[in-house]
Amino acid sequence: MGLEVGCDDSATTVHAIDMACCENLYFVFNCFLTLGGIGYLYKQNLDKTPYGRYVKSLGKQVSVPAKLAWFLQELPSFLVPVLLWYTTDRRTTKSRILLLVMFCGHYFQRTFIYALLTRGRPSPLQIVIFAMIFCTINGFFQGNYMVYCAEYDDAWLTDIRLILGGIMFLLGMAINIHSDDILRNLRKPGEINYKIPRGGMFEYVSGANFLGEIIEWFGYALATWSLPALSFAFFTLCSIGPRAYHHHRYYLEKFEDYPKSRKALIPFVF
């Protein structure tokens, strides 16, 4: 098999690679993402996260323009892994480069393209700060794991997990980008009213953009076959899955002609 991880000699598929890799620290991180995801899921069942359409009133809150907010909060997830890779002296394989490009490619698009094009509403400063902190921590652990902990030889390029995971990742990214484009073009510059999104996966679910991102990260988890990536995919599901449900309820309440056949997140199911 092409994957060896860790800093422990206790298993045949695990061996010491670098002092920068610590299994105990990654255990804590995986627990943090898993339990944090469950907690965030519970919180969103009680109240919607206050950004976008769910900001009732900024009042005296300090807000950040949408373009700047998305740029600042997504940047660490791109920049931190790139810096980790740039400063390492470890041998780089094609498999590891590909997996790093997948992770950083998503955040390059979110940081330098999506943020530039978005027409969203301003975000409360505290939401932006929390997002920046999370993206910095997650960017470090995902990047550090890929650079220092996991060893993928070139045989991993033909492994079925990488192939299927890569297909899922690209499919999810395509759905996510296409759905964002549909949402962005629903309103003309200056318009603030919400409209019914149509086309693409929006014909099946209200949260097509969220579905795409969830597929992306579960595809990445499969491609890397790693617990940090799986924990992040689970956290993503818990954090934006409920938002798709909230959007679905919002559309049903606001628009009498909203398609009744659409589901919230999973086509034909939920």
Side-chain angles (χ1 to χ4, degrees):
M1 188 174 71
L3 172 62
E4 299 175 348
V5 299
C7 52
D8 187 325
D9 292 323
S10 60
T12 57
T13 57
V14 180
H15 65 91
I17 291 178
D18 196 287
M19 290 300 293
C21 178
C22 180
E23 289 185 348
N24 291 335
L25 190 59
Y26 274 93
F27 175 78
V28 172
F29 173 70
N30 293 331
C31 289
F32 165 75
L33 281 184
T34 303
L35 297 177
I38 295 172
Y40 196 20
L41 176 65
Y42 176 75
K43 179 181 182 300
Q44 290 194 88
N45 283 332
L46 300 178
D47 193 19
K48 305 175 186 69
T49 303
Y51 71 91
R53 71 188 67 185
Y54 304 116
V55 177
K56 296 177 182 178
S57 175
L58 288 172
K60 295 183 179 179
Q61 293 185 77
V62 178
S63 63
V64 182
K67 294 181 188 296
L68 180 60
W70 280 104
F71 176 81
L72 291 175
Q73 66 192 36
E74 301 290 294
L75 180 62
S77 286
F78 169 76
L79 190 59
V80 173
V82 168
L83 289 175
L84 286 169
W85 173 78
Y86 182 75
T87 56
T88 185
D89 57 359
R90 286 198 62 211
R91 182 179 64 87
T92 301
T93 63
K94 294 177 183 178
S95 301
R96 194 146 50 91
I97 290 176
L98 175 61
L99 293 169
L100 278 168
V101 167
M102 288 168 64
F103 184 87
C104 294
H106 169 88
Y107 283 106
F108 178 89
Q109 194 275 334
R110 300 294 289 181
T111 303
F112 299 103
I113 300 176
Y114 175 82
L116 179 65
L117 297 176
T118 186
R119 298 175 183 173
R121 297 182 177 186
S123 295
L125 178 61
Q126 65 267 29
I127 296 294
V128 177
I129 292 174
F130 286 143
M132 288 177 63
I133 293 172
F134 175 81
C135 285
T136 301
I137 294 173
N138 187 59
F140 173 79
F141 277 101
Q142 301 295 340
N144 190 75
Y145 179 86
M146 195 58 55
V147 171
Y148 291 108
C149 295
E151 182 67 27
Y152 301 88
D153 58 31
D154 286 339
W156 192 254
L157 290 172
T158 59
D159 192 285
I160 189 64
R161 288 164 288 188
L162 175 60
I163 295 170
L164 292 180
I167 292 172
M168 284 179 61
F169 182 86
L170 292 175
L171 175 63
M173 191 172 190
I175 293 173
N176 181 247
I177 293 174
H178 182 244
S179 300
D180 282 338
D181 184 66
I182 290 173
L183 291 174
R184 188 165 49 245
N185 289 289
L186 279 177
R187 294 176 291 187
K188 297 177 181 179
E191 288 186 334
I192 60 173
N193 293 328
Y194 287 96
K195 300 179 181 179
I196 299 175
R198 301 186 186 277
M201 287 302 295
F202 280 114
E203 296 300 317
Y204 304 96
V205 294
S206 299
N209 50 329
F210 302 126
L211 172 63
E213 187 160 355
I214 290 168
I215 292 173
E216 259 190 279
W217 292 125
F218 274 99
Y220 182 74
L222 178 59
T224 62
W225 202 247
S226 70
L227 281 178
L230 180 60
S231 300
F232 177 48
F234 177 76
F235 182 89
T236 300
L237 173 64
C238 292
S239 62
I240 63 178
R243 199 159 179 87
Y245 174 73
H246 293 152
H247 280 17
H248 185 65
R249 293 292 301 272
Y250 173 88
Y251 287 132
L252 288 173
E253 293 171 3
K254 186 174 179 63
F255 302 105
E256 293 183 359
D257 60 337
Y258 194 73
K260 298 299 187 291
S261 61
R262 283 191 198 179
K263 299 299 182 180
L265 183 64
I266 305 174
F268 313 113
V269 178
F270 171 76

